[in-house]
Amino acid sequence: MIQNSSESSILKTLKTVFGFQAFRPNQEAIIRNILEGRDVFAVMPTGGGKSLCYQLPATLMHGTAIVISPLISLMKDQVDAAVENGIDAAFMNSSMNADEVSDVYRMLQYNKIKLLYIAPERFAMPHFLERLKTTAVSLFAIDEAHCVSEWGHDFRPDYLGLSLIPKMFPDVPIAAFTATATQRVQEDIIQRIGLRRPHIVRASFNRPNLFYQVKAKSKVDSQILEFLRDHPGESGIIYRTTRDSVTETADFLKSKGIAALPYHAGLSAEERNRNQEAFNRDEAQVIVATIAFGMGIDKSNVRFVIHADLPKNIEGYYQETGRAGRDGEPAHCLLFFGKGDIPKIRYFINAITDDRERFIASEKLKQTVGFASHNVCRRKQLLGFFGEEYLHDNCGACDICSGTVEQIDITTDAQIIMSAISRTGQRFGIGHIIDIVTGADTKRIRELRHNEVKTYGAGKDRDKKYWRSIVDELIAQEALMQEGDPYPVLKITQKGSDILFGKEKITALRKEEVKPKAARDRGEAEGYDEALFERLRNVRKRMAEAQQLPPYIIFSDKTLHEICRRFPSTLSDMRKISGVGDAKLERYGGDFIREIGRYLDENHGMSIPKGDFDS
Ligand code: ADP
Ligand code: ZN
């Protein structure tokens, strides 16, 4: 079954078909195992390069690789991308009519397809299975394999039918891929599909090209606009929690001249598709969306993901931010954290009737608040959440590590608040405690004689807003908790009591208004000629429009950036750029070289790095 699996042919295919110079972590081992006929189970983060792991062996093996993919919308993009690389690829799904399906069957019969994408439902169709039996199948690749597990977060009963594969095709290797699977889900997937002693890969979940930042939220729409002005033309996603806020933010940005489109479950399916497609094709710069958006987009040049509201849990946050920077180029993940978001989420949590579910949701909220407020490397926290230890002291790509946040000691102020709480018997809510501390002259204070409490007025040199922020900080850091409904009172936790009695200090992060360097500015080597990039981006867009393809399928941002660093002037120079394989070189190389030539002519005197292509 294996035609040629020698070392040189794998590397050669990587270069000629995909245009890449080197493998990403784990890719090579996975490919070798598949070529040797072994099953594979791989958990790799988004952007890890899973498609290449089955597309490359598919081109080397005899017969057709069957790729099972749950989303019809993704299939087309995947097939387009493969075809662009010169691979014979097709899909078969419910959106096609009988004639189109017969065409695919015919091509299968004559062994004209290297890669066939199908939805899992096909495995419930006896006719399909019969046809498949008479086809030379090289391998099965199962994408989003976690969908087979009820323990996963996206169980799809159709996936259970995939257990037929090892029974019907005992000699064909199966490779299952997912971006999310706990140990338990992993075992479940292996057992349910019936993988045979698979080669297992659990890749690191670190996404080194993502810069994580948390900023204090104030007027969030204006804050977003400011970010966009600093990142002109960059493509990105803005997440909001409610439909209304999606609409509001999208309208606001539009009124400021930004090409923004909304996406939420309240829009018609047609409008959602249209907006998603416009974003995919770089016609809309940003999409403002609820978390309903994201599954089913493969766009590799998402340069930022902004969370304008606090995410409900860390898993979601990781997944959503994970949509940035799939091409491996620097991308920015910005979370606007307002303490005011906490009660909103808590309100929904309190409405959960099942005790255990409510408890879990509440714990998850605590973790998210912790992530946003602790003075610990964001990357370390995220990875720790997935059970992965991050061993470096400084990740260099989060706000904490890059020193854009400053730590301030709030121990004394914390003691003032907690002393007021303690001296009034832990029986009052936030408003009243702040009234005591600021020395307010209210009827209630007089009635309860709280103006006689020792800390009455101890904090009158600061305003209520300030004290509110201290209380929020203490809740976020679990020095205080709120108890009781609907009138919660403040209670001091063990940690709080240690602070009150001077056994422990407490610090808060003061977010400096210093702008962190845009991710792309980090490191000299990553610079590129931005004016040329702008022009090449337009060339790419025109070509994409002519062929009705998303631009990133023609060349990724990463490829364009490299071109704008190295200024290739011949096809053989162009050939050395990452992401330029033989098929794309032939189709697009000339046009890009001409545009670079024109640009250099118009800017004569520009020095081009000489000898860059000698190697
Ligand atoms: P995943 O499915 O794991 O999220 P993809 O397969 O979509 O990731 O790959 C993400 C991006 O990385 C794509 O733009 C792809 O072309 C690119 N890529 C994959 N492998 C390599 C590699 N070895 N070198 C450079 N880029 C790669
Ligand atoms: Zn860090």
Side-chain angles (χ1 to χ4, degrees):
M1 174 186 4
I2 302 156
Q3 273 184 332
N4 192 347
S5 67
S6 77
E7 193 136 334
S8 64
S9 76
I10 299 180
L11 209 56
K12 189 161 164 262
T13 310
L14 182 71
K15 288 180 179 164
T16 56
V17 177
F18 298 91
F20 299 140
Q21 314 301 319
F23 284 107
R24 291 224 176 119
N26 304 302
Q27 285 181 327
E28 193 175 359
I30 292 173
I31 291 168
R32 279 182 194 291
N33 274 280
I34 294 176
L35 289 174
E36 282 161 18
R38 282 188 72 181
D39 286 356
V40 168
F41 173 82
V43 192
M44 287 164 87
T46 306
K50 291 185 277 295
S51 340
L52 186 110
C53 295
Y54 54 83
Q55 291 188 351
L56 193 152
T59 65
L60 290 174
M61 293 162 88
H62 172 70
T64 306
I66 308 291
V67 184
I68 294 102
S69 164
L71 292 161
I72 294 183
S73 60
L74 271 188
M75 271 182 209
K76 187 173 176 319
D77 285 355
Q78 292 260 4
V79 167
D80 285 343
V83 169
E84 280 297 295
N85 280 330
I87 305 171
D88 295 320
F91 58 78
M92 193 186 274
N93 64 38
S94 56
S95 75
M96 296 159 70
N97 63 36
D99 284 347
E100 290 168 323
V101 173
S102 319
D103 281 348
V104 176
Y105 277 131
R106 201 162 314 119
M107 289 194 292
L108 266 187
Q109 196 180 342
Y110 292 110
N111 198 7
K112 293 228 181 304
I113 306 179
K114 281 279 141 196
L115 270 175
L116 177 68
Y117 285 79
I118 58 164
E121 298 88 276
R122 291 272 148 193
F123 281 87
M125 301 178 186
H127 175 67
F128 172 75
L129 293 174
E130 267 160 43
R131 298 296 292 250
L132 206 56
K133 263 298 209 196
T134 63
T135 304
V137 180
S138 56
L139 72 105
F140 286 95
I142 302 175
D143 210 1
E144 314 284 354
H146 60 277
C147 295
V148 76
S149 169
E150 275 164 300
W151 299 109
H153 54 78
D154 206 8
F155 174 59
R156 288 168 192 238
D158 288 327
Y159 261 70
L160 294 175
L162 302 183
S163 62
L164 279 173
I165 298 175
K167 295 186 191 104
M168 288 181 63
F169 298 88
D171 301 323
V172 179
I174 306 172
F177 298 90
T178 172
T180 68
T182 57
Q183 202 67 36
R184 174 174 208 175
V185 172
Q186 167 176 327
E187 279 153 28
D188 205 29
I189 295 170
I190 293 174
Q191 192 248 323
R192 280 179 186 243
I193 302 174
L195 297 182
R196 300 143 294 192
R197 309 207 309 125
H199 168 72
I200 295 177
V201 167
R202 286 190 75 87
S204 165
F205 269 65
N206 186 20
R207 301 281 313 275
N209 60 319
L210 301 190
F211 186 98
Y212 298 101
Q213 183 184 21
V214 180
K215 285 189 94 171
K217 173 169 166 180
S218 51
K219 291 198 175 77
V220 81
D221 282 342
S222 310
Q223 290 176 300
I224 293 170
L225 185 63
E226 192 188 337
F227 178 90
L228 294 177
R229 299 231 152 113
D230 281 345
H231 297 77
E234 289 187 1
S235 203
I237 307 171
I238 298 162
Y239 281 110
R240 302 231 51 176
T241 33
T242 65
R243 297 174 187 186
D244 285 350
S245 52
V246 164
T247 312
E248 209 178 283
T249 300
D251 287 347
F252 172 80
L253 295 177
K254 264 186 264 176
S255 78
K256 300 289 176 189
I258 306 273
L261 289 175
Y263 187 105
H264 59 70
L267 301 174
S268 68
E270 197 181 283
E271 189 172 358
R272 282 204 305 270
N273 284 340
R274 205 169 46 230
N275 292 357
Q276 171 164 330
E277 202 48 25
F279 177 62
N280 212 19
R281 295 190 176 177
D282 288 353
E283 284 152 20
Q285 184 198 343
V286 292
I287 193 130
V288 187
T290 58
I291 53 170
F293 178 78
M295 268 290 258
I297 73 152
D298 235 357
K299 187 175 163 70
S300 74
N301 62 331
V302 174
R303 296 268 69 87
F304 62 83
V305 169
I306 296 177
H307 282 80
D309 305 296
L310 191 65
K312 283 200 186 67
N313 54 58
I314 304 255
E315 292 103 312
Y317 177 73
Y318 178 83
Q319 291 246 342
E320 285 135 30
T321 52
R323 289 167 189 143
R326 270 180 180 237
D327 51 13
E329 286 292 273
H332 203 117
C333 306
L334 174 57
L335 163 64
F336 287 106
F337 177 42
K339 308 266 165 66
D341 285 348
I342 300 173
K344 287 183 211 155
I345 299 181
R346 198 162 284 295
Y347 175 83
F348 286 104
I349 291 176
N350 287 341
I352 299 174
T353 46
D354 184 86
D355 283 349
R356 193 172 151 68
E357 264 177 48
R358 191 173 55 249
F359 174 75
I360 291 173
S362 171
E363 288 301 299
K364 290 191 164 175
L365 171 63
K366 264 194 214 157
Q367 288 166 341
T368 318
V369 172
F371 169 78
S373 47
H374 290 164
N375 188 18
V376 176
C377 168
R378 314 279 181 205
R379 177 166 274 102
K380 197 184 182 83
Q381 291 192 68
L382 278 180
L383 292 176
F385 181 80
F386 291 104
E388 192 178 327
E389 198 179 356
Y390 186 71
L391 295 167
H392 303 274
D393 286 338
N394 187 311
C395 80
C398 80
D399 51 357
I400 308 268
C401 293
S402 64
T404 48
V405 288
E406 187 198 354
Q407 219 188 133
I408 45 171
D409 190 326
I410 57 162
T411 310
T412 311
D413 289 346
Q415 286 167 335
I416 291 176
I417 289 283
M418 288 194 284
S419 156
I421 295 171
S422 165
R423 284 168 196 276
T424 52
Q426 310 199 40
R427 284 185 290 117
F428 298 90
I430 298 175
H432 186 71
I433 294 296
I434 291 177
D435 279 346
I436 296 176
V437 169
T438 53
D441 183 23
T442 68
K443 187 161 166 264
R444 193 143 179 252
I445 293 230
R446 285 193 302 270
E447 275 170 12
L448 294 159
R449 297 180 36 199
H450 282 171
N451 48 354
E452 291 164 21
V453 170
K454 190 154 168 254
T455 37
Y456 178 77
K460 60 177 179 298
D461 52 334
R462 308 296 296 255
D463 62 8
K464 287 192 178 180
K465 206 170 138 219
Y466 171 79
W467 289 107
R468 173 76 207 208
S469 77
I470 294 290
V471 172
D472 287 338
E473 190 66 45
L474 293 173
I475 294 173
Q477 296 201 36
E478 293 170 27
L480 291 179
M481 58 183 192
Q482 286 178 286
E483 225 175 63
D485 199 36
Y487 303 110
V489 302
L490 288 171
K491 301 255 182 203
I492 300 172
T493 65
Q494 183 56 47
K495 177 172 175 185
S497 135
D498 288 347
I499 295 165
L500 178 58
F501 297 110
K503 284 192 229 154
E504 209 185 288
K505 285 201 167 308
I506 180 164
T507 59
L509 304 178
R510 179 162 62 208
K511 311 283 187 307
E512 270 186 14
E513 278 316 305
V514 185
K515 287 186 191 120
K517 277 182 158 183
R520 63 160 187 274
D521 296 340
R522 281 181 286 121
E524 289 296 314
E526 296 303 330
Y528 56 87
D529 187 317
E530 296 187 19
L532 178 60
F533 177 68
E534 232 19 78
R535 291 176 61 151
L536 298 186
R537 185 150 70 170
N538 284 329
V539 173
R540 175 176 73 174
K541 185 135 186 268
R542 277 202 307 277
M543 289 174 170
E545 269 160 15
Q547 303 179 73
Q548 306 214 339
L549 286 176
Y552 66 87
I553 284 183
I554 297 201
F555 282 137
S556 69
D557 276 11
K558 186 184 174 75
T559 299
L560 291 193
H561 288 164
E562 195 178 328
I563 293 176
C564 296
R565 270 196 292 277
R566 302 180 69 186
F567 305 90
S569 60
T570 63
L571 283 178
S572 83
D573 286 352
M574 189 76 182
R575 181 69 196 70
K576 290 174 187 146
I577 302 285
S578 172
V580 185
D582 288 348
K584 291 185 180 177
L585 181 71
E586 190 180 316
R587 209 165 315 149
Y588 309 121
D591 284 341
F592 278 89
I593 287 169
R594 271 189 293 284
E595 184 71 14
I596 297 164
R598 273 196 291 274
Y599 175 76
L600 292 176
D601 286 346
E602 287 163 28
N603 297 276
H604 40 208
M606 260 192 68
S607 68
I608 306 163
K610 281 243 156 55
D612 191 25
F613 287 101
D614 291 351
S615 59

